[in-house]
Amino acid sequence: AAAPSTPKAAPRTGQTTIWLDGTWHTRDTATVSVFDHGLLYGDGVFEGIRVYGGNIFRLEEHLDRLYDSAQAIWITVPMSKDDIARVTEEGIARAKIKEGYLRHVVTRGTGDLGLDPRSCARPTVLIIFDTIRIWPAERFRKFHRRQLARAVYAAWLLRRRPAGGPL
């Protein structure tokens, strides 16, 4: 008997690109200090955004939420929303991503090895531009077949019940 085939990975489009505090990096060159409070204490915020057909999904709403979240933990994002939106658009072009995922991250920044946030002089801002595959293709197809079967069964049940009667 032939060995079962394994699903092939979806072809990657574009290249992982990272913007970190004003400088563009690759996956291999981007680094954050080991004293960054985002790394040490999880002291920061992030927002994940999808890209569909090269278009960023609801960028303004996502950035509003990012800035509101940062403000809620007393982090002032060191750039305007317009500037971060421009960097985001530029990153999509640089990474050549048509279908993908963006991760905006703002941390408290680099400080001392202690919890006092006043030791952090400036927040760290980074944006990751990458592709994402949430489900293997075969699992995605199976899920949709199952959902279709449930919908057909529910429609059949609704047609069988007496008018106004319980299911």
Side-chain angles (χ1 to χ4, degrees):
S5 64
T6 56
K8 293 183 179 177
R12 278 182 70 85
T13 59
Q15 59 192 26
T16 302
T17 303
I18 294 117
W19 184 90
L20 173 60
D21 286 335
T23 306
W24 293 99
H25 296 274
T26 66
R27 177 183 215 108
D28 296 327
T29 64
T31 59
V32 176
S33 170
V34 296
F35 290 99
D36 190 291
H37 280 216
L39 174 66
L40 291 173
Y41 308 111
D43 192 4
V45 296
F46 75 92
E47 188 71 21
I49 309 173
R50 292 297 304 265
V51 176
Y52 301 104
N55 299 304
I56 303 165
F57 183 72
R58 297 188 177 178
L59 178 60
E60 185 177 339
E61 291 91 335
H62 282 285
L63 292 182
D64 286 344
R65 191 166 38 244
L66 179 75
Y67 278 71
D68 289 347
S69 297
Q71 183 180 13
I73 62 170
W74 298 302
I75 293 177
T76 301
V77 181
M79 57 193 300
S80 71
K81 285 183 199 175
D82 288 342
D83 287 344
I84 205 165
R86 277 192 287 281
V87 169
T88 303
E89 296 284 352
E90 181 181 344
I92 291 296
R94 282 176 175 261
K96 298 177 178 72
I97 291 175
K98 297 296 180 211
E99 305 294 324
Y101 181 76
L102 312 178
R103 171 72 57 101
H104 290 71
V105 180
V106 181
T107 74
R108 181 86 48 201
T110 302
D112 296 333
L113 191 60
L115 294 173
D116 187 353
R118 295 172 297 181
S119 73
C120 303
R122 176 182 167 85
T124 299
V125 179
L126 64 100
I127 310 170
I128 302 169
F129 304 84
D130 205 356
T131 56
I132 189 170
R133 195 176 94 197
I134 298 171
W135 297 97
E138 182 56 30
R139 187 167 182 190
F140 189 72
R141 281 190 295 275
K142 283 181 182 177
F143 172 78
H144 280 288
R145 282 194 300 261
R146 202 173 320 123
Q147 291 298 96
L148 178 61
R150 287 180 182 149
V152 168
Y153 180 67
W156 177 79
L157 278 178
L158 287 173
R159 275 191 238 113
R160 293 194 64 224
R161 73 184 177 104
L167 286 177

